[in-house]
Amino acid sequence: MTGPNQQPPGGDVPPSDPTVQWWERPGPDSGQPPQQADPTILRGDIGAPGPYTAPPAPQHSGANPYTAPPAATPYQSGANPQPYTGLPYQAGATAQPFAAPPQYPAQQWGTPPRPPSSGNKAVWWIVGGAVLLVGVLVIGLIAFAANKADETNPFGPNPSEWEGDYAFQKGKNACDLIDLTVLNQWSSTRETTTHTEREPSEYGGGGSYNCDAKNQDSGRSGTGAKISLEVAFKSSYETESDYSRWKGYDTKTTGKDYDHGPLSGLGTEAYYAYEQRIYGSIPNDYIYVVAAHDSNISVKVEIEVDKMGSVDKSTLRSAAETQVRKVLTALKK
């Protein structure tokens, strides 16, 4: 064994040179002088000319001899790379076409269809019923229009239901239809006069006139006289004429002081009703009613006289009948 500053014997560098380490001294087979060796490389003789001798294979003791390692795989250093045969893209191999995924109908990727609902049957029943109802209404309207084909507006009012031989006169004062001076034969002093006019409806007819006038003399026993007029035209919604209602009320009472009966020569039908109330110390009350009906008009005139003593019944009847005829004449078409 040698020391740290010694080298094995056999070299060109004197062992006594303390500046040269043993690893810097050339071996027996080296042809490179120590002065040319790179002091930073342990084996300066690597790369020098001359064959390289591999170290002897290690020996193993025991029954199993040493087995050399297998040949290098394609990924080991120093081995020749082999082409990979497991993929379609091998070196020199023909590229295979790419298989596209299967196509599916567009419906599978959109909104799924709504399953059939049992409620659709009810909807169709409702729609069918509505269509049937509309059809019935249309047929009814056609029939209605056919019945009124001779009118200007078949869907408008039907004046034939209330029109007749008499007509309401707009702007006419009801008290102008009669002669109020008829009261002067019993009393000459006018006390009150009132009147109302109601025009007929465009879609139902009707219409009316009303007038009330009263004369009254002064004093406790002064004579008084009143006249009232009622005129009513037929309407489409009436079930009974005004004449029929008046007659039922005016003729329902009978007895000693009551009298009533039919009249001729006034319209198609007419009646009279008479009533008297006799008192001992106050004026007696006499009432005479004449009413008539003709075509589409009903007219009623009532005259009442309060007087101490008696009143001629025939005079009352004549005055009332005259006023009814006057009204019928004034409103006749």
Side-chain angles (χ1 to χ4, degrees):
M1 174 176 287
T2 61
N5 293 325
Q6 295 180 359
Q7 68 175 351
D12 296 334
V13 180
S16 60
D17 189 351
T19 63
V20 178
Q21 302 297 329
W22 65 269
W23 59 79
E24 297 177 343
R25 300 178 186 272
D29 296 328
S30 176
Q32 181 181 15
Q35 293 81 1
Q36 297 179 359
D38 188 352
T40 62
I41 300 177
L42 294 178
R43 292 293 305 273
D45 57 348
I46 295 177
Y52 171 72
T53 303
Q59 300 295 326
H60 295 273
S61 60
N64 295 326
Y66 172 76
T67 303
T73 65
Y75 298 100
Q76 291 179 346
S77 176
N80 294 326
Q82 300 295 326
Y84 178 66
T85 61
L87 294 176
Y89 298 101
Q90 297 179 0
T94 302
Q96 300 295 325
F98 175 72
Q103 300 296 326
Y104 298 95
Q107 182 179 357
Q108 297 182 3
W109 303 102
T111 303
R114 180 179 295 179
S117 174
S118 60
N120 292 337
K121 296 180 179 179
V123 172
W124 281 112
W125 274 107
I126 295 174
V127 173
V131 172
L132 179 61
L133 178 60
V134 171
V136 172
L137 292 176
V138 170
I139 294 174
L141 290 175
I142 293 175
F144 180 79
N147 292 333
K148 309 231 179 245
D150 57 337
E151 298 182 6
T152 304
N153 183 7
F155 298 101
N158 183 16
S160 64
E161 295 180 358
W162 62 82
E163 287 185 346
D165 297 335
Y166 300 84
F168 181 91
Q169 298 178 13
K170 293 183 180 181
K172 190 77 171 181
N173 187 314
C175 291
D176 292 339
L177 295 173
I178 56 177
D179 183 8
L180 299 182
T181 63
V182 72
L183 299 177
N184 293 342
Q185 57 186 308
W186 298 287
S187 176
S188 60
T189 304
R190 178 64 51 81
E191 185 177 71
T192 61
T193 303
T194 60
H195 61 90
T196 58
E197 299 80 23
R198 182 176 62 86
E199 295 184 6
S201 169
E202 179 182 358
Y203 294 92
S208 64
Y209 292 104
N210 293 88
C211 174
D212 292 283
K214 179 180 180 181
N215 290 6
Q216 181 67 47
D217 292 341
S218 61
R220 182 174 180 272
S221 61
T223 301
K226 296 187 295 184
I227 186 172
S228 65
L229 169 66
E230 293 182 64
V231 178
F233 292 89
K234 183 181 179 181
S235 63
S236 62
Y237 47 81
E238 71 178 17
T239 58
E240 184 183 15
S241 66
D242 290 84
Y243 172 85
S244 297
R245 289 193 295 270
W246 297 334
K247 183 178 180 179
Y249 177 80
D250 294 333
T251 62
K252 69 180 180 179
T253 305
T254 60
K256 176 184 177 181
D257 297 327
Y258 299 91
D259 186 19
H260 57 78
L263 290 175
S264 61
L266 288 177
T268 56
E269 57 180 330
Y271 72 91
Y272 77 91
Y274 173 76
E275 176 184 354
Q276 65 179 12
R277 300 168 186 173
I278 305 300
Y279 305 102
S281 58
I282 60 175
N284 298 323
D285 190 14
Y286 303 91
I287 302 173
Y288 206 98
V289 174
V290 174
H293 179 263
D294 190 28
S295 184
N296 62 325
I297 194 172
S298 298
V299 180
K300 176 181 177 179
V301 172
E302 179 179 314
I303 297 177
E304 180 179 355
V305 177
D306 296 328
K307 182 181 180 182
M308 296 296 293
S310 64
V311 173
D312 184 46
K313 180 180 179 181
S314 62
T315 303
L316 291 174
R317 174 177 176 174
S318 176
E321 288 183 5
T322 300
Q323 301 308 309
V324 171
R325 286 190 177 94
K326 182 177 177 62
V327 173
L328 292 175
T329 301
L331 299 177
K332 188 75 176 286
K333 288 182 177 179

